[in-house]
Amino acid sequence: KLIGILDLANIGYRNIDARALITGFQFLQAYYPERLAKFYILSMPWFFVSAWKMISLFLEKATLEKVVIVSSQDERKTFIKEIGEETLPEEYGGRAKLIA
Amino acid sequence: LKAKKIYLQVPSKNGQPVLIIQANKHFP
């Protein structure tokens, strides 16, 4: 199982393609069920909230339960703790280097 | 998924790989 982190800090309003996201999620949950441990969404901009509400209507309950939208300070602390500071890159509050 | 940068950090605290997707103007 893997943990997904989606950083939306640099996304723009024009880049939102809800249809592509729905297709992507549906593909992954149909062909790779149970491969996702958790999916964290960071820095979700306000204009993405309504898009996410629509996208989530098309996702399975089991998938949605794994998605965590990190917005508050408490959620951020839990996110860092669950990934582990050793693994999490510095820009997300950990101590690791981000190496492709 | 045409994201700007995709990273795979291995392993996390409990041994699970971590996939990091940084979205930008090419997303999704």
Side-chain angles (χ1 to χ4, degrees):
Chain A
K1 287 196 182 193
L2 65 81
I3 299 170
I5 299 173
L6 179 60
D7 175 10
L8 295 176
N10 295 315
I11 199 170
Y13 180 71
R14 285 178 165 201
N15 315 123
I16 298 174
D17 187 345
R19 214 163 152 184
L21 283 165
I22 291 165
T23 307
F25 269 109
Q26 284 181 334
F27 177 84
L28 292 169
Q29 71 188 5
Y31 292 98
Y32 301 96
E34 297 306 315
R35 291 301 297 271
L36 187 69
K38 217 124 194 217
F39 194 75
Y40 293 98
I41 304 179
L42 309 179
S43 312
M44 187 186 275
W46 62 268
F47 54 80
F48 196 85
V49 175
S50 51
W52 178 251
K53 276 182 187 163
M54 199 185 92
I55 293 161
S56 59
L57 294 175
F58 293 87
L59 304 184
E60 286 170 15
K61 197 171 166 257
T63 307
L64 278 175
E65 281 170 355
K66 294 171 189 171
V67 177
V68 180
I69 297 163
V70 181
S71 51
S72 73
Q73 212 47 36
D74 280 351
E75 285 164 341
R76 200 163 183 90
K77 273 183 196 162
T78 312
F79 159 72
I80 294 168
K81 205 178 152 194
E82 281 182 22
I83 306 268
E85 282 185 43
E86 300 300 318
T87 306
L88 199 65
E90 286 165 348
E91 56 196 289
Y92 300 121
R95 288 197 296 269
K97 285 265 178 278
L98 199 52
I99 301 163
Chain B
L1 200 71
K2 200 176 170 190
K4 183 183 174 187
K5 291 168 186 165
I6 297 176
Y7 302 94
L8 193 60
Q9 301 274 110
V10 185
S12 74
K13 204 170 88 180
N14 52 12
Q16 290 165 330
V18 181
L19 179 73
I20 302 170
I21 302 164
Q22 290 183 339
N24 74 344
K25 61 189 172 73
H26 298 299
F27 185 83

